[in-house]
Amino acid sequence: MSSSDIRIGVFVCNCGLNIAGTVDCESVAKYASKLPDVVHAVDLLFACSDDGQDNIKRAIREKELNRVIVASCTPRTHEPVFRACVEEAGLNRYLYDQVNLREHCSWVHMDEKDLATMKAEELVAMAVERVRYLEPLERQSVDVIKSAAVIGGGVAGISAALDLANAGFETHLIESRPTIGGQMALLDKVFPQNDCAICILGPIMSKVGQHPNINLLTYSELDSVDGYVGNFRLTVRKKSRYIDTEKCNGCGDCEKACPVNVTNQYEFGMATRKAAYRPFPQAVPNKYTIDKRGISPCRIACPAHVNVQAFVALLKEEQFEEALQIYRKNSPFAGTLGRVCTNPCQTECERGKYDEPVSIKALHRFLADFERTHNKKPILPIEPDKKKAKKPIAIVGAGPAGLACAYDLVRDGYSVTVFESRKEAGGLLRWGIPEYRLPRDVLRDEIDIIQQLGVTIQTGVRVESLEELKSQGYKAIFVATGAPSSRLMKIDGENAKDVHHALEFLDRVNSGKKVNVGNRVVVVGGGNAAIDAARTAQRLGAKRVTIVYRRSREEMPAIPSEVDEAGHEGIKFEFLATPVKIATSGNVISEIKCIRMRLGSPDESGRRKPIPIPGSEFKIGGDTAIIAVGQEVTPDSLVSGLEPTMYGTLEVDPVTLQTNVKGVFGGGDVVSGGATAIEAIATGKEAAKSIDRYLRGVDLTEGRDEILIPIEDIEVDNALKMRYAPAMPTLSLPKRKTTFGEVELGLREAVALEEAGRCLNCAVCCECEKCVDACTLDAIDHSLQDEIIELNVGTIIVATGFKVHDPVETREFGYKTFDNVITNAQLERLTNAAGPTQGKIKRPSDHTTPKRVAFVQCVGSRDRRVDQDYCCYIGCENSLKQAIQIKEKYPQTEVTIYAMDIRTHGLGYEGLYRRAREKGVIVVKGRPSEIEEIPSTKSLVVLAEDLYTGERLETTTDLVVLATALLPNDDIPELARKLKVSTGEYGYLMEAHPKLRPVDSFQDGVFLAGAVLGPMDIPKAVAYGKGAAAGAQALMAPGKFFVEPIYAEIDTSLCMDCDLCVDVCPYGAPTGRGTERRVMFELCQGCGTCAASCPKNAINMRHYRTEQILPQIMAAARAKGGIV
Amino acid sequence: MPRKRFEPTILAFTCNWCSYGGADLAGISRIQHPPNAKVIRLMCSGRIDPIMVIEAFKDGADGVMVTGCHPGDCHYATGNYRTQVRFDALKIALKSMGLHPDRLKLLWASASEGQQWADGITTMTETIRLLGPNPLKEGGVQK
């Protein structure tokens, strides 16, 4: 089309005074009329009115216009209107362009009228340059799938889903909680009639559950959204309830059996619930859910993965036997490790982040001790598995690793023999740890369990070679011979007579041999062996014991409580020092020469490296030295035929623990060179797994990893009260000087119960599987997995609701600090017959009925300090409703409402206010400045100013109720991103137009309903739900939807197949190669990123072609501007 | 008579979803700001071809703003990440054209950020006013 054929019409809208009040529209039209190819330019009072549109249509026909520009308001709302208008006049709707004179000019440059007019002219000139290059386009239509997804099962979502389903559309209702009903289901009464909320909602909820057109997906979350209007593809994660909903009949037996109590969010923290729970009796569907969040940090931290949370939860419920059984699923050493474990579980305990970790070690010790003192039940031998028993297993070494391996294998049905060279089983637990820490009978009894289960332990038998075992018919061997020798310091004088090495020293004492120590003992080292040696020396009669350690106390690897106790017993410490020479006179120690150290930068162990300070030598007087600087594997620990590593330890595969000989495995200290008992046990258990796989002929590695999924974010009540761990009772100091009696005495029952109560139940479900035993329908399966469901729908309605402001973050008005300050949501549960108090209003501190109640309005609402300066819409009515309820139940109770204003909008709500006043509710205009607690009565003093009288009020009240703000849900930004919809100023989802398109989003096919748009009351939420359903139906009913023909095109003659467009396109629209390359318009969303990326300019965007944009740029850049 | 002052010509490229909406909101909220910026609406800031920005300067624009959705909020998922990359490259290109890099500005504004939009335009206008007219225009490069 040549330039002379272009006939442009420009229509400048006055928009009443909205534009004309600032911009001289007449002059803009006049200016436009002089622009090239403009054949018609006028200004109109209201271009979008019928008159205005008629004027445009007439001009198109009369002036034979083939391009139209309307300079009016934002195209985001009015472009479709004018496009339809020009189409009606016979012009292609894409030969139209709109200039935004209102939002972008007149409304924002009100004080600069001349410049605004000039800008308006320039904007029109830009459009004239662009419109000339526009080309007619045909709209594409897409098929619409006649099915909808509603996200959110609150009252808005329920209303939308029912309307859609009743109209015959297949509807998927996706709800993240285990039940539908949303916030309304938790209310007691609904204003203004004060109807019972669940009584009116319950029947509708069950209708949803039974509707043939509704696919109800509860406990499900939206993972991702793909596709476009008419054909969205949703991926929904149906979270596992760990209960087969087909079998569950909602009887609640699992709930009764469950030992885990957590804060009940459905009671707003006013009560607790179990990990196996149903939110409320009217839940739809009426099924139970097991709330499982992952594996607790303690269980992950434990090398043997003892299910800590489960035994702590059962202990708290006083089910001591069951708790011990949970521990013993892992190893028999509840009492032994309860004394000597280094408890890595406690280091990771979540509670430790708040006050102190739970004393896990002391708790399993308590369980073991309780069994020892109370009717111990005999352990029954395991019935061997016929097939497995044919393949006997030999274990060399009866230390913790060997015993743990035997324990697991015998319970698996194998026949196991343990060979021990010493005269008693136990390894370093028996020979290395002094009796005052681990009484022999405790260890012996726990080793007995293994024997009672059917393991044969042959003591006093040294295994020399593998062949010897193989010839006896053993099919698999586990070598766990330990690292029984002390490492040498390699300093002068180490060979003197009274120099001992810790392990040998302890071994001799523990064997009952006579060991003489002098009066002044110097122990070198900072590990548990050093502390054990020092305390043992003291008990053997040493007068003065000094521990010399080269780092500082913080870096000591010994258990801190052991170091503390050593200090209490009078043992001296010489930190940051190391011996350089043991001086002797005639093979008798005279003194120990040391040097001071300082700490340098951290070494590979993460601890700071000690560096000697030159010239800082000093002497410690002593007659006995005990060296405790580590342990070593001796060559005779390795059974012949096995390969050592360069460190002398046994070489094994890090995963399978198999040695260089097939079917022979290794673990414990002989592999690690010296580690803790629990680590040794972990390797024993791992070896048991390998041996089982080996003997069954299964691959040793495949599918072996036990995946322990940590909890993503641990929910902790933000008002957690500080409670510290109990001190361990100990033996008196004088007794410790002379005897080897046990030092730590264990927790008393009451203390243990209280301590177990400090567990935060991080993982919620602890997997104790009590529910599995309790369920008579066999409905519970802890191995169930989340299900991923794909949905294909034409429209989506988002109705995910709101959240209630939690004033604890600002500690406003003493919430969660003062017991008797609650929120209106909490009061709602107190007035509810199904709530924690059966509908009786009792204040939390003493469960008495309050005689005086004060409501504080607008907590977090209309509050600029927290960027929440909007009205919560329901707070006034809700407090009036609750005030009336209190007055109805307890007419004598005095009720005061402190409010900035009382806002009772619309029909019926003013009556609520009147009723409250008639019942004697006092309304004070003015927000309280402060609330103070009277410590003796826990009553509260409300300080406020009455704004009408200016009087300062100071009123004592029994209960304060905070009317808290409504806030957008935390997941809104993520949801908005998935659905490609916008969020507004306060974080709620944003409608396409605040007045005219309140349920539409900017994304075609996505509708919004309920409080996801902002605070609203129930009738409004229902109306929005029904409105969104109507919008969705209108879109789906014709079966076709017109989409913008704006998509990319490729000129294959220019394309050089660089594939850059494929890389940048998020939708995978570019396809093919060479001459076949094209953009699939069904997938293309029209962003144009590919066009801007193409190095050959081979890609162009329809309606946003470079040749359409560049003239517009030129017109703008060359504008008059300059010095004015 | 009031002293005459330099009124710069600024081009603001917007995407259809976020920054154009932000500019609309500034209007609806009547947040006043200088009238120097003229908006060119594209579907996505990813559509902004570097040639468009260079062309704008060659034709005499005193300043150019590239605006779009906040990173991660792009209506088209990843378009604005490309914008960021191109913007960084353009900054370098500007220097070789003999233009002050401050003449090009990137502004992320969502549809709810009317105030941020108005503030962005105000500071950009002040910046360009201090930098003076586009030297390419004065040097007679303009066609």
Side-chain angles (χ1 to χ4, degrees):
Chain A
M1 198 181 277
S2 74
S3 166
S4 56
D5 295 334
I6 300 283
R7 298 178 64 81
I8 303 171
V10 178
F11 302 87
V12 183
C13 178
N14 285 291
C15 198
L17 283 175
N18 282 316
I19 297 171
T22 304
V23 172
D24 182 347
C25 295
E26 208 182 319
S27 128
V28 174
K30 210 162 153 193
Y31 170 85
S33 68
K34 290 177 194 148
L35 292 169
D37 297 329
V38 175
V39 294
H40 181 72
V42 289
D43 67 306
L44 302 170
L45 184 58
F46 284 104
C48 60
S49 67
D50 277 355
D51 276 353
Q53 293 198 39
D54 284 345
N55 191 309
I56 296 168
K57 287 180 204 163
R58 203 162 49 240
I60 292 172
R61 283 190 285 263
E62 288 173 4
K63 308 275 179 179
E64 290 174 25
L65 302 178
N66 53 20
R67 298 288 188 280
V68 172
I69 294 168
V70 177
S72 56
C73 50
T74 175
R76 282 176 30 122
T77 57
H78 276 60
E79 196 172 55
V81 176
F82 292 116
R83 276 185 178 167
C85 168
V86 300
E87 195 169 55
E88 278 168 36
L91 198 60
N92 183 283
R93 59 193 282 128
Y94 292 96
L95 297 176
Y96 163 79
D97 202 16
Q98 187 161 344
V99 177
N100 188 347
L101 290 191
R102 195 176 69 180
E103 282 82 352
H104 289 194
C105 191
S106 68
W107 274 351
V108 288
H109 313 312
M110 288 170 157
D111 305 327
E112 295 170 285
K113 294 195 163 63
D114 290 346
L115 287 174
T117 303
M118 199 194 289
K119 176 174 170 181
E121 290 169 359
E122 287 166 9
L123 290 173
V124 170
M126 284 160 67
V128 167
E129 285 308 308
R130 169 175 156 82
V131 81
R132 154 196 332 277
Y133 296 98
L134 292 182
E135 56 196 358
L137 300 173
E138 286 314 313
R139 279 199 288 173
Q140 308 283 342
S141 75
V142 290
D143 291 333
V144 175
I145 296 167
K146 294 194 174 186
S147 165
V150 179
I151 306 163
V155 70
I158 289 175
S159 306
L162 274 178
D163 272 13
L164 284 164
N166 287 338
F169 292 95
E170 183 196 20
T171 306
H172 307 276
L173 180 57
I174 303 160
E175 166 61 46
S176 63
R177 292 180 172 185
T179 175
I180 56 169
Q183 299 283 348
M184 184 181 171
L186 306 179
L187 298 176
D188 177 24
K189 298 286 188 297
V190 289
F191 54 77
Q193 297 88 347
N194 290 7
D195 274 340
C196 159
I198 196 69
C199 311
I200 56 175
L201 185 64
I204 302 174
M205 283 162 62
S206 56
K207 211 189 272 176
V208 170
Q210 291 155 5
H211 203 293
N213 285 343
I214 296 181
N215 171 25
L216 183 55
L217 295 166
T218 48
Y219 210 42
S220 301
E221 273 165 7
L222 183 66
D223 259 7
S224 67
V225 182
D226 263 335
Y228 45 88
V229 55
N231 187 6
F232 290 109
R233 286 183 304 281
L234 273 56
T235 320
V236 178
R237 175 177 294 272
K238 193 160 194 249
K239 290 188 280 180
S240 174
R241 289 176 187 254
Y242 303 97
I243 290 180
D244 185 341
T245 48
E246 296 291 315
K247 290 184 190 163
C248 177
N249 65 358
C251 70
D253 284 348
C254 51
E255 186 176 9
K256 284 180 214 116
C258 181
V260 177
N261 283 298
V262 291
T263 308
N264 189 347
Q265 69 271 40
Y266 298 94
E267 300 282 3
F268 296 98
M270 302 296 279
T272 58
R273 66 163 170 85
K274 295 299 183 73
Y277 75 111
R278 179 179 60 179
F280 42 82
Q282 298 87 346
V284 172
N286 182 18
K287 307 288 175 195
Y288 271 79
T289 305
I290 293 175
D291 188 355
K292 200 185 285 200
R293 307 281 171 88
I295 305 288
S296 56
C298 45
R299 188 167 160 195
I300 292 177
C302 176
H305 307 307
V306 171
N307 190 349
V308 174
Q309 194 197 327
F311 81 71
V312 173
L314 287 163
L315 192 163
K316 201 188 83 207
E317 295 294 305
E318 299 186 42
Q319 301 184 35
F320 301 142
E321 202 185 314
E322 287 84 350
L324 189 58
Q325 288 320 315
I326 296 278
Y327 190 95
R328 288 200 179 146
K329 276 189 183 175
N330 212 276
S331 85
F333 300 118
T336 303
L337 288 178
R339 288 166 169 85
V340 305
C341 191
T342 49
N343 48 265
C345 51
Q346 288 181 211
T347 318
E348 292 303 315
C349 176
E350 183 72 11
R351 180 94 202 190
K353 293 182 186 163
Y354 301 90
D355 34 44
E356 273 186 303
V358 176
S359 316
I360 298 166
K361 177 175 149 187
L363 291 179
H364 60 76
R365 171 186 168 161
F366 165 78
L367 292 172
D369 290 358
F370 188 87
E371 191 201 52
R372 288 168 64 79
T373 48
H374 295 76
N375 327 315
K376 189 175 172 179
K377 278 193 190 157
I379 307 269
L380 298 173
I382 300 279
E383 191 64 37
D385 182 291
K386 276 186 193 132
K387 246 172 146 183
K388 288 176 174 173
K390 281 183 193 157
K391 294 172 177 170
I393 299 157
I395 292 173
V396 188
L403 292 173
C405 183
Y407 182 72
D408 279 6
L409 287 170
V410 74
R411 288 185 302 153
D412 229 8
Y414 287 102
S415 153
V416 187
T417 310
V418 184
F419 297 95
E420 170 58 47
S421 62
R422 305 291 296 264
K423 64 179 187 326
E424 257 181 73
L428 278 186
L429 293 173
R430 170 65 186 85
W431 309 107
I433 289 175
E435 199 166 0
Y436 67 85
R437 272 178 73 198
L438 176 58
R440 301 291 168 238
D441 52 345
V442 172
L443 177 65
R444 202 178 305 125
D445 286 355
E446 292 186 330
I447 296 173
D448 275 354
I449 295 175
I450 301 171
Q451 286 176 298
Q452 284 158 8
L453 288 173
V455 173
T456 314
I457 301 178
Q458 294 191 17
T459 51
V461 180
R462 172 169 283 275
V463 174
E464 298 294 345
S465 76
L466 297 173
E467 295 317 313
E468 173 190 333
L469 293 173
K470 282 186 182 165
S471 65
Q472 289 174 36
Y474 292 106
K475 301 290 180 221
I477 301 166
F478 178 54
V479 178
T481 43
S485 174
S486 294
R487 190 177 292 156
L488 299 181
M489 262 205 107
K490 293 170 187 157
I491 54 169
D492 280 354
E494 200 174 353
N495 298 324
K497 188 173 141 274
D498 288 320
V499 176
H500 301 275
H501 287 88
L503 285 183
E504 290 76 6
F505 170 76
L506 290 168
D507 193 324
R508 278 166 61 198
V509 177
N510 292 334
S511 311
K513 291 178 186 155
K514 187 157 170 54
V515 182
N516 286 322
V517 293
N519 284 331
R520 291 173 302 160
V521 178
V522 175
V523 179
V524 184
N528 283 315
I531 305 288
D532 287 349
R535 294 173 74 186
T536 300
Q538 176 119 338
R539 282 164 173 76
L540 291 175
K543 295 277 179 294
R544 182 187 171 90
V545 181
T546 310
I547 293 178
V548 180
Y549 178 52
R550 58 194 183 136
R551 291 183 167 104
S552 73
R553 183 174 177 139
E554 269 188 17
E555 286 84 16
M556 270 186 124
I559 300 172
S561 65
E562 293 291 315
V563 182
D564 289 345
E565 289 305 326
H568 293 159
E569 288 170 15
I571 287 162
K572 302 280 176 284
F573 291 92
E574 197 67 68
F575 290 113
L576 289 166
T578 197
V580 286
K581 186 183 177 181
I582 299 170
T584 51
S585 64
N587 215 21
V588 175
I589 299 175
S590 57
E591 62 193 20
I592 290 143
K593 284 188 179 158
C594 300
I595 189 166
R596 297 265 176 222
M597 312 288 269
R598 65 179 176 84
L599 291 177
S601 47
D603 63 7
E604 64 271 22
S605 77
R607 296 178 301 170
R608 291 175 65 187
K609 200 175 175 170
I611 301 165
I613 304 171
S616 65
E617 288 83 355
F618 67 104
K619 294 168 189 167
I620 302 176
D623 46 28
T624 307
I626 304 173
I627 313 289
V629 293
Q631 61 186 121
E632 273 181 341
V633 177
T634 51
D636 64 340
S637 300
L638 263 62
V639 181
S640 68
L642 296 177
E643 250 174 44
T645 63
M646 59 189 282
Y647 305 106
T649 57
L650 178 59
E651 173 106 62
V652 296
D653 179 282
V655 176
T656 64
L657 304 181
Q658 187 161 237
T659 62
N660 58 315
V661 182
K662 236 179 126 189
V664 179
F665 301 82
D669 284 353
V670 72
V671 170
S672 65
T676 61
I678 187 70
E679 285 166 314
I681 287 171
T683 61
K685 294 176 70 64
E686 213 51 44
K689 265 192 232 168
S690 287
I691 290 172
D692 173 50
R693 280 171 170 254
Y694 172 75
L695 292 179
R696 284 191 293 121
V698 180
D699 188 280
L700 288 184
T701 47
E702 203 187 311
R704 177 190 183 105
D705 285 346
E706 192 187 347
I707 300 162
L708 299 173
I709 302 162
I711 308 156
E712 267 177 28
D713 46 332
I714 297 173
E715 264 178 42
V716 178
D717 186 357
N718 44 19
L720 186 75
K721 295 237 159 72
M722 293 280 193
R723 263 162 69 199
Y724 289 93
M728 172 61 77
T730 51
L731 192 70
S732 70
L733 284 173
K735 281 190 187 159
R736 295 198 216 169
K737 297 261 180 199
T738 50
T739 72
F740 276 84
E742 189 172 17
V743 171
E744 296 191 339
L745 302 175
L747 301 180
R748 281 184 300 119
E749 185 176 328
V751 178
L753 286 173
E754 195 169 320
E755 180 59 6
R758 291 206 312 127
C759 173
L760 296 173
N761 286 309
C762 313
V764 188
C765 170
C766 63
E767 298 188 333
C768 68
E769 307 203 342
K770 288 278 135 200
C771 49
V772 178
D773 303 335
C775 182
T776 50
L777 297 165
D778 210 13
I780 298 171
D781 181 354
H782 280 271
S783 68
L784 289 175
Q785 296 289 313
D786 291 358
E787 216 181 310
I788 302 291
I789 295 170
E790 305 263 340
L791 301 176
N792 210 199
V793 297
T795 53
I796 299 171
I797 294 176
V798 188
T800 52
F802 63 95
K803 72 164 191 180
V804 183
H805 170 61
D806 186 1
V808 78
E809 281 146 33
T810 46
R811 297 268 159 185
E812 217 163 358
F813 298 118
Y815 181 65
K816 294 249 169 136
T817 303
F818 304 152
D819 290 344
N820 293 323
V821 177
I822 61 172
T823 64
N824 50 2
Q826 289 176 316
L827 181 64
E828 200 70 33
R829 297 308 301 166
L830 292 185
T831 57
N832 195 327
T837 56
Q838 289 78 43
K840 296 188 180 66
I841 300 171
K842 291 175 180 170
R843 58 181 209 153
S845 71
D846 53 8
H847 303 286
T848 56
T849 302
K851 301 237 163 9
R852 294 156 297 187
V853 179
F855 286 85
V856 179
Q857 296 304 106
C858 299
V859 178
S861 310
R862 301 174 69 191
D863 193 343
R864 285 198 154 212
R865 295 171 304 167
V866 284
D867 293 330
Q868 286 160 214
D869 55 335
Y870 57 89
C871 171
C872 79
Y873 200 84
I874 51 131
C876 289
E877 291 91 338
N878 196 45
S879 291
L880 289 167
K881 173 197 82 183
Q882 291 181 334
I884 292 170
Q885 276 179 284
I886 296 172
K887 277 290 191 186
E888 280 171 351
K889 285 187 181 173
Y890 312 101
Q892 300 308 317
T893 295
E894 214 174 83
V895 182
T896 314
I897 298 178
Y898 293 89
M900 289 197 258
D901 310 282
I902 291 285
R903 296 178 168 180
T904 52
H905 41 74
L907 293 182
Y909 295 173
E910 186 65 16
L912 200 67
Y913 177 66
R914 199 187 57 239
R915 253 155 61 215
R917 295 302 303 268
E918 281 167 3
K919 287 199 178 294
V921 173
I922 301 159
V923 177
V924 175
K925 186 176 172 74
R927 288 180 86 210
S929 55
E930 207 175 340
I931 290 177
E932 289 170 357
E933 187 183 60
I934 303 166
S936 57
T937 59
K938 297 267 178 192
S939 288
L940 304 145
V941 179
V942 181
L943 301 166
E945 186 192 349
D946 185 331
L947 293 180
Y948 282 137
T949 60
E951 196 183 340
R952 190 170 167 274
L953 303 175
E954 195 177 321
T955 326
T956 306
T957 185
D958 301 322
L959 182 70
V960 168
V961 183
L962 306 179
T964 48
L966 304 193
L967 298 181
N969 266 328
D970 295 330
D971 65 346
I972 290 267
E974 204 192 326
L975 188 67
R977 231 164 264 175
K978 283 178 192 161
L979 292 162
K980 302 193 188 85
V981 296
S982 310
T983 52
E985 187 182 355
Y986 299 110
Y988 292 98
L989 291 187
M990 199 160 88
E991 64 286 77
H993 191 278
K995 299 290 168 207
L996 301 175
R997 298 177 65 194
V999 297
D1000 298 350
S1001 73
F1002 273 114
Q1003 180 81 338
D1004 286 331
V1006 177
F1007 299 86
L1008 314 171
V1012 76
L1013 285 157
M1016 54 180 72
D1017 61 356
I1018 292 163
K1020 200 170 160 188
V1022 171
Y1024 269 67
K1026 286 174 161 286
Q1033 286 172 54
L1035 194 154
M1036 290 188 289
K1040 294 241 177 255
F1041 186 80
F1042 285 107
V1043 290
E1044 295 279 309
I1046 299 171
Y1047 52 85
E1049 288 175 336
I1050 300 184
D1051 181 348
T1052 47
S1053 66
L1054 292 174
C1055 174
M1056 56 172 193
D1057 275 341
C1058 70
D1059 276 351
L1060 205 57
C1061 50
V1062 180
D1063 291 346
V1064 300
C1065 180
Y1067 307 103
T1071 173
R1073 292 191 71 79
T1075 53
E1076 295 293 302
R1077 187 180 288 272
R1078 63 185 184 89
V1079 172
M1080 290 186 282
F1081 78 86
E1082 308 89 329
L1083 295 179
C1084 177
Q1085 303 288 301
C1087 65
T1089 304
C1090 56
S1093 305
C1094 182
K1096 299 287 280 182
N1097 291 325
I1099 307 181
N1100 226 329
M1101 287 303 303
R1102 285 155 61 102
H1103 209 56
Y1104 287 94
R1105 294 184 186 281
T1106 311
E1107 51 272 34
Q1108 292 163 346
I1109 300 166
L1110 281 180
Q1112 199 183 0
I1113 294 170
M1114 283 184 205
R1118 290 177 185 176
K1120 293 165 282 186
I1123 311 294
V1124 183
Chain B
M1 195 177 142
R3 200 168 149 261
K4 287 189 178 178
R5 65 172 182 174
F6 167 54
E7 290 296 346
T9 295
I10 298 167
L11 257 70
F13 291 98
T14 70
C15 72
N16 185 47
W17 307 100
C18 294
S19 53
Y20 196 90
D24 275 0
L25 186 65
I28 294 163
S29 316
R30 315 290 200 276
I31 305 169
Q32 303 297 305
H33 53 266
N36 301 69
K38 281 161 291 214
V39 166
I40 292 177
R41 177 172 67 126
L42 303 170
M43 293 309 279
C44 177
S45 59
R47 174 71 184 98
I48 303 167
D49 192 328
I51 200 76
M52 296 176 185
V53 176
I54 289 168
E55 198 62 42
F57 282 119
K58 273 170 67 186
D59 287 322
D62 300 308
V64 174
M65 291 174 76
V66 171
T67 72
C69 309
H70 285 279
D73 284 348
C74 181
H75 187 81
Y76 302 104
T78 54
N80 55 2
Y81 293 127
R82 306 285 162 185
T83 313
Q84 175 81 57
V85 173
R86 289 177 198 142
F87 174 82
D88 295 340
L90 273 168
K91 277 268 188 193
I92 298 163
L94 231 57
K95 275 192 194 162
S96 64
M97 285 171 74
L99 293 173
H100 195 289
D102 284 356
R103 290 188 185 273
L104 181 64
K105 180 176 167 161
L106 184 67
L107 174 71
W108 300 135
S110 78
S112 62
E113 293 178 336
Q115 187 66 53
Q116 281 84 336
W117 172 267
D119 291 347
I121 300 291
T122 309
T123 33
M124 182 66 176
T125 309
E126 293 310 318
T127 308
I128 304 296
R129 209 166 255 155
L130 290 175
L131 288 174
N134 177 349
L136 301 181
K137 183 162 58 181
E138 289 181 338
V141 181
Q142 203 177 351
K143 283 169 266 180

